[in-house]
Amino acid sequence: MTQTTRDPIDGNQLPLPDSFRQLHLDGCGRLQLPVAELLQRAELCEDLALQLQDSARHIHFDLGVAEEDVLGRLHAGLATPQAELRPGEAEWVTARVAELLDWLDRLPQELLPPTRPAR
């Protein structure tokens, strides 16, 4: 999930996860938003995942909630309009939290971020 690409379009040197970039491609493989906005959204989602990992760990270890249930609850909160995430971003953040906590094997299939076939 964390394979990254350097974006040659604007010379940005921050790594951009390929899985995140795929969320914002149209059917022809073109970005659906400006590169600067894509980078801002990627940073927002990464920051969100980093913040949520401690909460997820606490819910699991201190409250005894199963990993898949913790991830489901996180996703439910992220999928609300109040979260202001674009389509696919809630799934991406949930999967990133699972990756950070080494819980990818506990991530339900329906919470995997959408992918596009390679061109």
Side-chain angles (χ1 to χ4, degrees), residues 11-52:
N12 179 53
Q13 294 301 307
L14 294 174
L16 178 67
D18 291 336
S19 59
F20 191 83
R21 183 185 194 112
Q22 286 182 1
L23 297 177
H24 299 287
L25 298 177
D26 65 15
C28 295
R30 296 177 299 230
L31 281 176
Q32 296 176 314
L33 64 163
V35 172
E37 187 177 347
L38 175 71
L39 294 171
Q40 288 175 333
R41 297 216 56 85
E43 184 176 354
L44 169 82
C45 289
E46 179 68 18
D47 288 348
L48 191 54
L50 291 170
Q51 290 175 3
L52 289 172

